[in-house]
Amino acid sequence: MIKRNKEKGIEWLFTALAFSSLVFLTGIVIVLVKEALPIFSTVSLPAFLGGESWYPTAEPPEFGIFPLIMASFWVSAGAMLICVPLGVGSALYLHELAGERQRAVLKPVIEVLASVPSIIYGFFGMVILAPFLQDRFNLPIGLCVLSTSIVLGVMATPTVASIAEDALGYVPRSFREASFALGANRWETLTRVIIPAAGSGISTAVILGMSRAIGETMTVLMVAGGAAVVPSSIFDPVRPMTAAIAAEMGEAPVGSDHYHALFAVALALFIVTFAFNIIAELISRRYRLKLGLSR
Amino acid sequence: MHSASKERGAADFLLSGNGVKSAPGLFGEAENSCIEPKISARGVNFYYGPKRALKDINMDFSPRLITAIIGPSGCGKSTFIRLLNRMNELVPGTRLEGEILLDGLDIVAPVCDVAELRKRVGMVFQKPNPFPKSIFENVAYGLEINGSLARRAIEEKVEDSLKKAALWDEVKDRLRESALGLSGGQQQRLCIARCLAVEPEVILFDEPCASLDPISTAKIEELILTLKKTYTIVIVTHNMQQAARVSDRTAFFLMGELIEYGGTGMIFKAPHDRRTEDYITGRFG
């Protein structure tokens, strides 16, 4: 009897542990929505999303987050331009060309790169990259879309490389053999068989890299420049959504419009990254089906 | 005279490596067929690292005959046929000694273009391995990487290859669907069609029915017999009945050695070697 109760207890414990993430997620969503909603009695949703002025502390305050959204969009897009070629290129090199010894060095190095704290990337961007850009392009300030994109791109590269490399690894060896046996060379095999077969996995890698870039806070706080203006060039300083929340939350009185507006920004950010993750999951599921794997 | 020009054509084809097509009519002359071996292996030793997997193999394959290679697991039979289209090169740490001649030319020589070789010596694998593409794209793949054919010609060639592989009637209405939706036996016939599309001269079958049910197996065997008219066929099989049913000549491999090689009837009814007899009567293996 005692033994049975003990087993029941253990079962309950694990059930509770398994469901805890669900509880956290639900809690986060509830709090975000609850704290965000009051702002929409002050501003309409279209004015909030489409408004071009973010002056939360001015009199009267203006809560248009369009500049923040654009800032997040442009730095993430710029980061993609850097981390996709770098990450996918590294994955292809590791998978196709690198010998055992090179792999043994490169793979851990990429993983260490992924584990460098973001403040170190931010520090690097602020102290080395920004002054360099300022000097090189004769800018009033080196903290801008370009510097942020570069730093975020480098940060997201290991994520992309590592997941894309796994995707390439899942392509069965028999596809490669079939291609070679038909007289294809290495390049044809890679571009026409291996990459298409791993294509969905590679797109998952890119999307996850992107959600890493869009959700990154510390780095953008340090290198983006902080101006809440819709950027007109890559040399303009910007204030992405994450940076706005981090920089302003400490000063916004609890319960004020500013406070609720920042929660609404967080909610918008959450929806975007959530959507990215859902898309990534759908793609990778399709990819498993396509290869006939059922993991 | 004809055979000399054929040899030169083949030499250009193999050695130049720039895609010169071999002389037409290679198969048209029945009188040439039994004179020269299509493929011959001379003193072949093969190593996986320090392990010697094949020991001094000498073996000829006649054109337009089906040669079966039988033997227990690990005897080197698959390793051997994978040498004939140089697939073992994809395995690191391997080494080959000896010569393998295709129409009298050494395919192991460094000057030999391996992609061209593989177009002439096609292969069908143990497990059906269609690409995760449509049925049409699978067959068209080999044609597209050669890149010279117009769309219309590719479509004709795909249809023709699927017909030769006895698959056309089953798939003609769903050429754009994924090949992975086909049954195992259909997938294997698709792999055969894909191989036929590049117009090989030799087809290597590496246990093509190992993962198939008896009905699919019967279809593949029937197909192999019809292909014999045009192609030189080598089939590795675990299944002795299969060797007896389809092949003209049979070779018995044991522990990396070629023990006995001769007419299929002779090997199965009156083997000379005691070990062959033990194997085919089921005393081991």
Side-chain angles (χ1 to χ4, degrees):
Chain A
M1 198 63 194
I2 293 172
K3 202 174 167 198
R4 242 187 85 192
N5 280 340
K6 195 175 156 198
E7 278 200 17
K8 267 256 179 310
I10 291 173
E11 211 182 300
W12 271 107
L13 176 68
F14 280 98
T15 311
L17 290 175
F19 277 89
S20 60
S21 327
L22 189 62
V23 173
F24 296 142
L25 183 64
T26 321
I28 287 170
V29 173
I30 290 172
V31 171
L32 276 182
V33 172
K34 191 175 144 275
E35 296 292 342
L37 277 181
I39 188 65
F40 296 113
S41 57
T42 315
V43 234
S44 70
L45 183 64
F48 182 71
L49 293 177
E52 293 210 9
S53 336
W54 175 255
Y55 298 119
T57 50
E59 204 50 57
E62 290 187 69
F63 299 106
I65 66 165
F66 190 66
L68 312 186
I69 295 176
M70 280 297 106
S72 283
F73 174 78
W74 284 114
V75 296
S76 307
M80 285 298 104
L81 287 181
I82 290 164
C83 76
V84 171
L86 268 180
V88 175
S90 324
L92 288 174
Y93 179 80
L94 273 179
H95 191 260
E96 283 297 314
L97 300 169
E100 280 302 310
R101 223 176 301 163
Q102 283 175 316
R103 269 182 67 91
V105 176
L106 283 175
K107 195 108 211 252
V109 165
I110 287 177
E111 269 143 31
V112 168
L113 198 60
S115 67
V116 172
S118 54
I119 187 116
I120 295 179
Y121 282 104
F123 190 69
F124 168 83
M126 209 167 143
V127 174
I128 295 169
L129 184 62
F132 170 78
L133 291 177
Q134 188 173 11
D135 211 40
R136 188 80 187 70
F137 296 103
N138 211 5
L139 306 172
I141 178 171
L143 305 171
C144 58
V145 173
L146 182 62
S147 61
T148 317
S149 293
I150 292 173
V151 179
L152 287 181
V154 173
M155 279 182 74
T157 296
T159 311
V160 177
S162 168
I163 299 172
E165 213 258 344
D166 288 346
L168 290 168
Y170 289 138
V171 176
R173 208 185 56 173
S174 65
F175 291 174
R176 175 187 309 263
E177 287 196 330
S179 174
F180 281 126
L182 290 166
N185 60 32
R186 221 159 142 176
W187 175 247
E188 290 158 343
T189 302
L190 186 65
T191 53
R192 287 167 169 266
V193 177
I194 313 274
I195 294 179
S200 320
I202 294 173
S203 17
T204 309
V206 170
I207 290 172
L208 291 179
M210 187 144 180
S211 62
R212 172 143 164 73
I214 211 167
E216 175 51 39
T217 304
M218 188 45 78
T219 311
V220 295
L221 199 56
M222 292 169 81
V223 296
V229 180
V230 177
S232 55
S233 93
I234 57 168
F235 299 119
D236 284 351
V238 287
R239 172 174 289 230
M241 294 193 272
T242 50
I245 299 168
E248 297 167 24
M249 195 50 111
E251 303 154 14
V254 176
S256 66
D257 281 349
H258 188 191
Y259 175 86
H260 293 305
L262 289 175
F263 267 97
V265 173
L267 183 63
L269 186 64
F270 175 79
I271 290 169
V272 171
T273 45
F274 190 70
F276 276 133
N277 277 287
I278 297 276
I279 293 169
E281 180 56 32
L282 288 178
I283 289 176
S284 78
R285 192 170 302 169
R286 208 189 92 214
Y287 150 82
R288 279 174 213 155
L289 291 179
K290 208 168 152 194
L291 291 187
L293 306 171
S294 46
R295 263 173 310 109
Chain B
M1 156 144 184
H2 202 132
S3 111
S5 80
K6 168 181 125 185
E7 285 229 339
R8 195 139 33 79
D12 286 340
F13 188 57
L14 268 184
L15 297 175
S16 63
N18 51 9
V20 184
K21 273 285 172 203
S22 53
L26 269 182
F27 303 118
E29 284 74 31
E31 67 268 22
N32 288 343
S33 67
C34 289
I35 304 166
E36 303 258 317
K38 184 73 186 170
I39 300 179
S40 43
R42 300 260 170 272
V44 168
N45 284 291
F46 188 74
Y47 301 84
Y48 288 110
K51 187 176 163 278
R52 191 177 177 197
L54 291 172
K55 294 169 193 160
D56 203 28
I57 308 286
N58 289 291
M59 202 173 165
D60 286 347
F61 296 90
S62 307
R64 271 165 286 165
L65 287 184
I66 300 177
T67 306
I69 301 179
I70 60 170
S73 298
C75 68
K77 54 192 191 304
S78 286
T79 301
F80 180 68
I81 71 159
R82 288 167 64 93
L83 290 176
L84 306 182
N85 64 347
R86 291 176 54 180
M87 283 307 274
N88 282 334
E89 281 175 16
L90 304 176
V91 183
T94 56
R95 186 162 60 86
L96 173 72
E97 288 167 0
E99 299 184 311
I100 297 170
L101 309 175
L102 175 65
D103 288 332
L105 290 163
D106 190 1
I107 63 166
V108 183
V111 285
C112 169
D113 179 339
V114 65
E116 291 301 325
L117 165 71
R118 289 176 184 149
K119 283 171 195 161
R120 294 180 62 192
V121 183
M123 184 166 222
V124 175
F125 295 84
Q126 183 169 349
K127 229 181 116 215
N129 57 354
F131 300 122
K133 297 171 182 279
S134 73
I135 293 167
F136 181 89
E137 287 169 324
N138 262 280
V139 184
Y141 180 79
L143 304 166
E144 282 167 358
I145 54 176
N146 294 329
S148 54
L149 282 181
R151 198 71 206 154
R152 185 79 208 113
I154 289 182
E155 281 168 13
E156 279 166 17
K157 196 87 198 118
V158 167
E159 178 175 340
D160 183 51
S161 306
L162 285 168
K163 280 179 176 158
K164 281 185 191 155
L167 190 60
W168 176 251
D169 290 334
E170 291 160 59
V171 300
K172 62 173 186 252
D173 299 323
R174 47 173 176 152
L175 292 175
R176 302 286 159 193
E177 286 172 32
S178 168
L180 300 182
L182 297 173
S183 74
Q186 288 173 324
Q187 289 190 2
Q188 195 62 303
R189 276 178 283 148
L190 179 67
C191 293
I192 295 173
R194 181 173 71 180
C195 172
L196 296 179
V198 292
E199 300 184 330
E201 297 157 40
V202 179
I203 305 177
L204 310 171
F205 288 90
D206 187 359
E207 300 197 44
C209 304
S211 61
L212 303 182
D213 63 78
I215 292 169
S216 306
T217 301
K219 280 189 186 157
I220 302 270
E221 285 180 10
E222 201 181 310
L223 173 59
I224 291 173
L225 284 169
T226 66
L227 295 176
K228 177 182 145 178
K229 293 189 206 99
T230 329
Y231 307 94
T232 302
I233 292 174
V234 184
I235 174 169
V236 161
T237 175
H238 229 81
N239 178 332
M240 281 176 284
Q241 287 80 11
Q242 181 168 69
R245 281 192 299 263
V246 302
S247 69
D248 301 295
R249 313 191 76 203
T250 297
F252 174 58
F253 273 55
L254 184 63
M255 291 163 73
E257 283 180 84
L258 174 59
I259 304 296
E260 193 165 353
Y261 182 30
T264 297
M266 190 270 287
I267 293 280
F268 280 94
K269 293 198 183 77
H272 292 300
D273 195 286
R274 182 65 200 277
R275 290 167 291 181
T276 314
E277 192 184 340
D278 285 351
Y279 181 71
I280 61 170
T281 53
R283 237 162 280 174
F284 74 95

